[in-house]
Amino acid sequence: MSEINPKRITFARIRRRLTKAQLAKELGITSRSLTNYENGVTAPNPETLEKITKLLNFPQQFFFLDENMPELREHTVSFRKLSKMTDAMKACTFATAAIAFNVNQWIEDRFKLPVSELPDLSDLDPEDAAATLRRAWGLGSAPIPNMIHLLESKGIRVFSLAEETRDVDAFCTWHEAKPFIFLNTMKSAERSRFDAAHELGHLVRDLYTMQHGKAHGPEMERQADAFAAAFLMPQESVKVNQPPAFTLKYLMKLKHYWGVSLAAMAYRFNSLKLISEWNYRNLCIEIAKSGYRTNEPEPMEREISQLMTKVLDILHSRNQGRREIANSLSISIDEINALTFQLTRLSVIPGSASARSIPEKNPPKLRVI
Amino acid sequence: MPNFVLTPSNLVTHKSTIINTLPELQARLNSLHPVLSLTLLREAITSGLNGREVSHASAPTAAGVQQWLKTVESLRTLLATAKWHIHQHQNSPFITSPNRDISIVVMTGSSETGKDDIDDPVNQAEKGAVTESFVERNSQLELFNQNSLSLIKSNKQGTQVWVLLYHYDKMKNEVRFELSFPIGFHKKKITNWGERLILGSIPNNTNDFKILQDESNIPPSVEVEPKTGVF
């Protein structure tokens, strides 16, 4: 086996969101020693390396690969809450994306996948851009049956955000001219759909900014939201289908039709100026008071990745699976599980049983004795 | 000798004046106070409808109670932004115009509410001294001058109290509402109205609301093919 690649120690530490001091303490060594390992001045002895692999949950061979992990620059990523994110969180998220790039490459080496064909709509305002993209993709004015499938069929790779980065909103980026979207699948199915459309907005409208490392501003985020609302709920059809009264009951019916959250439905009517300021404010209060912002009422079924499902099905038919991908890339299977969390029929995530409740299809039958 | 049937004086047939066409309604509301409009009252009633959203755990009367609470809150908030005064009289919520010539209270009404039928509506819940006294004052004002509001406006005496009356029709799933001027009180209910501005109804029946569906989009297929010679 060749020498340790020091950059991979740094990568693994950042992926686990640990500072040098924190990791050094866990390893029982000085920060100086760890810095020396990460700078390649000295190499950890086999015993320390063993500890590193266990603590950081990366297999030993990961640290001996010459090839460096892909790197992302901050401005090539569309983060909504960038200002609120710590540097450690940002770096951890970039590391997650880097692993996703490698996973994607592994899949592309073995499978023919849709090639990206995204138009550049940066000259159009959000409303026009959404309408133009719908026309270009032959979508008419009907609801989008499945956002993830649509994105994947257009060559966009969709991954889930890993468990350490649940606090991060969805984001998108380009890698080797390929568009990627990372969804926070801990959110409601409706929010995830809106996020997917929001990121699509960045990909088709902020192409130049993202590929040229320009900073993201709040206005870009507002416009991406406007794009998402317009893409999921086309103006002309929303106008035709105005309810007789803007009450929660009618909005509930409409949100099922469009596959959006109750809040997004109200927001759309407000942005199209179809509802009075007072009525909108009241709906927002009722939505918040009922807890619908955090718990979507009458939730829709979660969308899953058709691409990953098909890839895994084909691999399974050849007696392969997530483990083979992980082994081949010298990463833990947990990384694959995290990147596909809630995106495939079988979603596993280590140590997260209490983090979310999976609705039981067959609840235990209780009877009075 | 002829037989006489005695009837209480306040049950003397006094068919209220009905206003139910849009231009007339707008004009009459405006004459009561420039800030009063069909839109404003409709917004208060719509807010009340949202208040009806309750869960299975709620008490059986929760929807009705919450609707009233929300309607009162909305009406008073909307009017308070136009400098109307929010006040209570023995726990009854009032909202009164800046120059105090008109007050509005919110009440639930019987099924005749919001309809120009043979019978006028009565209010749903039994009312006490507060209602009795303002209805009595309304009645006196009305007795001495058919256009009592003009009198009040010119003399700065007294306040007309109007009722925003609504009825939630559970069969039709709609709320009908009117702004009416009560002048007769009998057995704890308002039984006579000088004037009724019938403001219409707001539906709340999603079954009757049909979405005009565009031709559905075909669910996209993501082409995934294993490359030859790789496996």
Side-chain angles (χ1 to χ4, degrees):
Chain A
M1 201 176 266
S2 59
E3 287 184 353
I4 288 176
N5 180 347
K7 284 190 176 172
R8 286 192 167 233
I9 299 179
T10 310
F11 180 91
R13 174 178 61 74
I14 286 171
R15 172 70 188 87
R16 300 288 166 244
R17 232 189 317 152
L18 290 174
T19 62
K20 278 184 193 164
Q22 285 168 331
L23 180 59
K25 194 180 169 196
E26 292 287 330
L27 292 169
I29 59 171
T30 62
S31 292
R32 184 82 219 150
S33 303
L34 182 60
T35 304
N36 286 339
Y37 300 158
E38 292 194 11
N39 290 340
V41 178
T42 55
N45 60 33
E47 193 190 328
T48 310
L49 183 62
E50 179 69 25
K51 278 188 185 171
I52 291 174
T53 63
K54 275 197 179 145
L55 270 168
L56 300 180
N57 192 20
F58 274 86
Q60 245 189 48
Q61 63 268 31
F62 174 82
F63 299 98
F64 288 95
L65 296 172
D66 284 341
E67 188 194 347
N68 288 332
M69 293 298 286
E71 274 184 43
L72 274 89
R73 283 176 303 124
E74 182 166 322
H75 292 327
T76 62
V77 178
S78 71
F79 274 136
R80 245 172 287 177
K81 289 183 179 165
L82 200 59
S83 54
K84 289 181 194 164
M85 280 173 74
T86 61
D87 285 345
M89 179 68 93
K90 265 184 248 173
C92 170
T93 310
F94 292 166
T96 308
I99 293 171
F101 299 157
N102 282 358
V103 170
N104 179 63
Q105 193 54 54
W106 188 94
I107 296 170
E108 284 198 22
D109 288 345
R110 288 155 185 81
F111 294 87
K112 271 208 289 198
L113 304 178
V115 178
S116 142
E117 43 174 303
L118 295 182
D120 179 359
L121 304 174
S122 44
D123 289 339
L124 300 177
D125 68 38
E127 199 75 43
D128 283 346
T132 305
L133 192 58
R134 267 184 168 262
R135 267 197 305 277
W137 286 355
L139 293 169
S141 291
I144 309 287
N146 189 310
M147 268 307 291
I148 294 181
H149 294 182
L150 177 67
L151 297 175
E152 288 180 331
S153 72
K154 302 298 176 188
I156 300 167
R157 306 289 183 254
V158 181
F159 287 96
S160 181
L161 283 167
E163 76 276 24
E164 287 90 343
T165 50
R166 269 172 204 152
D167 298 335
V168 183
D169 259 323
F171 68 93
C172 65
T173 189
W174 293 83
H175 179 68
E176 293 175 352
K178 285 173 204 140
F180 285 77
I181 288 181
F182 293 83
L183 294 176
N184 184 336
T185 48
M186 298 300 291
K187 290 188 187 175
S188 70
E190 290 83 356
R191 276 295 299 274
S192 272
R193 255 170 80 87
F194 195 88
D195 283 351
H198 173 108
E199 298 310 326
L200 176 64
H202 281 311
L203 290 175
V204 295
R205 292 190 66 250
D206 304 324
L207 198 70
Y208 182 85
T209 322
M210 289 175 68
Q211 290 191 339
H212 294 80
K214 305 276 182 194
H216 281 248
E219 179 57 18
M220 273 172 72
E221 295 309 311
R222 199 194 59 73
Q223 292 202 8
D225 271 343
F227 174 92
F231 190 73
L232 289 170
M233 299 165 271
Q235 185 171 168
E236 59 273 33
S237 195
V238 170
K239 280 183 176 168
V240 168
N241 285 306
Q242 287 181 66
F246 288 100
T247 62
L248 290 178
K249 222 170 167 181
Y250 285 109
L251 257 52
M252 195 77 86
K253 182 161 183 169
L254 283 163
K255 79 142 201 161
H256 285 302
Y257 178 64
W258 292 113
V260 295
S261 68
L262 206 54
M265 196 68 243
Y267 170 84
R268 184 65 174 147
F269 280 120
N270 185 49
S271 60
L272 291 174
K273 301 200 183 330
L274 300 172
I275 183 172
S276 75
E277 206 44 56
W278 168 262
N279 206 167
Y280 178 61
R281 216 187 73 195
N282 260 283
L283 281 172
C284 289
I285 292 169
E286 290 298 325
I287 289 169
K289 213 170 67 184
S290 311
Y292 293 162
R293 283 203 183 276
T294 42
N295 284 315
E296 187 61 37
E298 300 176 17
M300 66 186 290
E301 198 182 333
R302 184 171 288 284
E303 295 181 353
I304 61 168
S305 159
Q306 198 180 130
L307 188 149
M308 286 305 292
T309 304
K310 283 183 176 174
V311 164
L312 289 173
D313 282 352
I314 296 168
L315 287 175
H316 288 161
S317 71
R318 287 160 169 79
N319 292 321
Q320 293 186 24
R322 295 159 196 265
R323 188 160 300 283
E324 281 67 28
I325 305 176
N327 289 345
S328 177
L329 295 172
S330 300
I331 52 174
S332 160
I333 193 172
D334 296 341
E335 299 287 356
I336 310 293
N337 290 336
L339 285 170
T340 56
F341 181 59
Q342 304 246 57
L343 281 180
T344 55
R345 280 192 293 270
L346 175 69
S347 288
V348 203
I349 198 156
S352 70
S354 60
R356 64 176 219 105
S357 58
I358 300 162
E360 284 184 39
K361 279 193 177 153
N362 298 310
K365 284 179 185 156
L366 302 176
R367 62 194 175 89
V368 180
I369 302 170
Chain B
M1 190 174 166
N3 287 329
F4 290 100
V5 179
L6 295 174
T7 53
S9 62
N10 53 1
L11 281 186
V12 169
T13 319
H14 177 123
K15 181 67 182 161
S16 55
T17 307
I18 303 272
I19 297 180
N20 59 5
T21 65
L22 194 58
E24 274 187 291
L25 282 172
Q26 299 284 27
R28 183 64 181 121
L29 286 169
N30 189 60
S31 74
L32 290 178
H33 192 276
V35 83
L36 286 177
S37 67
L38 183 55
T39 309
L40 182 141
L41 297 172
R42 197 182 154 90
E43 290 200 323
I45 295 290
T46 304
S47 301
L49 264 184
N50 276 324
R52 290 190 68 87
E53 298 296 320
V54 291
S55 76
H56 293 302
S58 305
T61 51
V65 172
Q66 286 176 195
Q67 181 179 6
W68 181 79
L69 293 172
K70 195 72 200 166
T71 309
V72 169
E73 186 190 335
S74 297
L75 179 74
R76 299 212 296 175
T77 311
L78 280 161
L79 290 174
T81 56
K83 305 241 174 348
W84 283 47
H85 305 289
I86 289 173
H87 62 104
Q88 276 66 242
H89 186 46
Q90 292 180 16
N91 278 338
S92 293
F94 286 77
I95 180 86
T96 301
S97 62
N99 53 8
R100 302 189 187 276
D101 54 16
I102 175 171
S103 260
I104 301 177
V105 292
V106 177
M107 288 183 193
T108 52
S110 61
S111 60
E112 292 83 5
T113 305
K115 291 200 269 190
D116 181 12
D117 276 352
I118 301 163
D119 295 323
D120 279 340
V122 293
N123 62 298
Q124 199 87 40
E126 291 187 347
K127 297 290 171 187
V130 174
T131 304
E132 187 170 18
S133 81
F134 75 67
V135 174
E136 178 64 22
R137 273 201 309 277
N138 277 353
S139 172
Q140 283 171 7
L141 286 167
E142 190 75 357
L143 195 66
F144 292 113
N145 191 314
Q146 281 301 302
N147 194 354
S148 54
L149 190 66
S150 316
L151 182 75
I152 289 166
K153 280 185 196 272
S154 57
N155 293 350
K156 303 274 176 228
Q157 285 173 349
T159 304
Q160 274 198 349
V161 181
W162 287 67
V163 179
L164 178 61
L165 196 68
Y166 69 84
H167 174 77
Y168 191 82
D169 189 324
K170 286 181 184 166
M171 298 296 283
K172 290 184 180 171
N173 265 320
E174 66 172 20
V175 61
R176 290 189 299 275
F177 60 113
E178 59 183 70
L179 186 68
S180 299
F181 185 60
I183 52 164
F185 192 80
H186 179 64
K187 287 188 179 171
K188 299 189 173 180
K189 300 259 176 133
I190 296 170
T191 49
N192 260 344
W193 307 89
E195 201 175 333
R196 292 175 59 209
L197 315 186
I198 296 180
L199 302 168
S201 65
I202 301 174
N204 196 32
N205 187 355
T206 51
N207 292 333
D208 288 349
F209 173 50
K210 298 274 180 277
I211 297 174
L212 300 168
Q213 305 201 354
D214 288 288
E215 199 180 328
S216 301
N217 284 310
I218 303 155
S221 174
V222 183
E223 301 306 321
V224 176
E225 256 184 75
K227 288 182 177 171
T228 46
V230 175
F231 290 98

